[in-house]
Amino acid sequence: MVTGPPREWDAASYDSLPLPHKRWGARLLATLPLDGDEVVLDAGAGTGRDTEALLRRLPHGRVIAVDGSQAMLSRLRERLAGVPSDRLTVLHADLRERLPLDRPVDAVFSVATLHWLPDHRSVFARLRSALRAGGRLAAEFGGHGNLAAVDAALTDLGLPSVNGQLTFATAESTRAALAAAGFTDVDVDLRPDPAVFTERDQLEAFLAVVVLGTVLDPLPSTERRRVVLAVAARLPRPEVDYVRLTVHARAGDSSRPDVRSA
Ligand SMILES: C[S@@+](CC[C@H](N)C(=O)[O-])C[C@H]1O[C@@H](n2cnc3c(N)ncnc32)[C@H](O)[C@@H]1O
């Protein structure tokens, strides 16, 4: 599990990559019904690509962009420099803890983030606490079976797996965690969604910046490139074998006795 403060990211390199996150974010946003005046929490907003798209959908609303990486948020602030403060709140916070919000939000939106957090029952309970009753959760993140080929390569190299450090949950355990946290109208989908790279150097850069972060962080910088090349060489195809969980749910009535505060 990832312990200590949330890790820092190479935000400039992240934004320069052909990220599958772009289509994941656009796809998820298309499924979130919005009237245009809501307050939406972007949980793990990163460099703000989807925060910006959310703001376009909310001409009379507001986005609260939360992330644990100062580097990602500084890029987000640059991207959204012209947005007035009554439309955007940027919050440097750890999603493993209760969020310091003044009032409940209308929706929580999250792309490629929740698998970074341990104990999804507590994660969903905290997100439920952040939402008004009836508010919507729309999230997508890595699920059971994610990065199996990457992990096989790491195991072959005698290195720790990504799966051992992040939470790649099953659809069943996700449904149970959402119900236990007080969500209703729960819809959970788990499916393979590989990211295919046409250029070898882009695959290697993507592995280095996005996929292998937790494996590379503890290694001396001189070792990291060698590991990236060795993993890339062991993959059966020039692709990252993502398996994605997509979650839609509504916050139930928090006065119900089985909804515990987190
Ligand atoms: C793969 S990036 C996704 C960013 C953005 N949603 C996107 O689609 O490009 C994962 C994000 O989760 C954030 N994150 C991971 N663990 C976190 C934590 N414990 N608290 C807050 N943010 C966290 C990272 O800082 C990073 O910005």
Side-chain angles (χ1 to χ4, degrees):
M1 278 298 127
V2 181
T3 53
R7 69 183 291 272
E8 274 306 334
W9 288 67
D10 178 349
S13 299
Y14 183 84
D15 268 352
S16 72
L17 291 165
L19 297 169
H21 306 59
K22 291 177 188 165
R23 69 181 148 87
W24 297 336
R27 190 162 68 196
L28 189 68
L29 188 55
T31 65
L32 179 63
L34 290 171
D35 293 330
D37 59 355
E38 293 93 339
V39 178
V40 179
L41 176 78
D42 187 355
T47 64
R49 180 198 63 250
D50 295 326
T51 308
E52 186 173 34
L54 276 165
L55 282 164
R56 279 197 293 274
R57 295 271 315 274
L58 296 165
H60 307 294
R62 187 158 70 92
V63 179
I64 303 173
V66 177
D67 204 276
S69 160
Q70 292 282 20
M72 292 299 235
L73 287 181
S74 102
R75 195 104 184 147
L76 178 147
R77 286 190 185 93
E78 276 169 31
R79 185 198 292 268
L80 301 172
V83 178
S85 58
D86 61 343
R87 301 253 297 124
L88 173 65
T89 303
V90 181
L91 197 56
H92 180 236
D94 189 339
L95 289 162
R96 292 169 297 182
E97 294 165 10
R98 195 182 178 97
L99 289 171
L101 300 178
D102 294 341
R103 63 190 64 154
V105 298
D106 298 302
V108 171
F109 176 89
S110 184
V111 173
T113 297
L114 300 188
H115 57 265
W116 285 92
L117 311 175
D119 185 4
H120 278 188
R121 283 194 176 227
S122 301
V123 170
F124 291 131
R126 283 194 296 280
L127 295 181
R128 167 64 195 88
S129 309
L131 279 162
R132 68 165 169 80
R136 291 177 189 271
L137 169 65
E140 83 78 49
F141 48 102
H144 184 69
N146 203 35
L147 304 178
V150 171
D151 274 347
L154 287 167
T155 303
D156 193 42
L157 291 163
L159 288 165
S161 68
V162 179
N163 267 269
Q165 301 179 72
L166 307 184
T167 310
F168 296 139
T170 62
E172 292 71 25
S173 69
T174 301
R175 278 186 206 104
L178 285 159
F183 281 95
T184 63
D185 304 327
V186 168
D187 180 39
V188 177
D189 177 69
L190 178 76
R191 67 182 59 199
D193 192 357
V196 179
F197 293 84
T198 48
E199 308 289 335
R200 186 87 187 169
D201 58 339
Q202 295 221 308
L203 170 66
E204 290 162 6
F206 188 80
L207 288 170
V209 174
V210 181
V211 180
L212 297 176
T214 56
V215 176
L216 301 177
D217 284 350
L219 298 179
S221 49
T222 47
E223 274 294 289
R224 293 177 187 167
R225 174 112 186 108
R226 187 187 66 77
V227 168
V228 168
L229 295 182
V231 170
R234 282 166 173 74
L235 294 179
R237 284 174 293 283
E239 65 180 45
V240 174
D241 57 330
Y242 281 117
V243 179
R244 310 305 292 178
L245 268 170
T246 305
V247 164
H248 292 92
R250 270 184 184 273
D253 180 353
S254 59
S255 63
R256 271 180 33 204
D258 62 333
V259 179
R260 291 176 297 278
S261 64

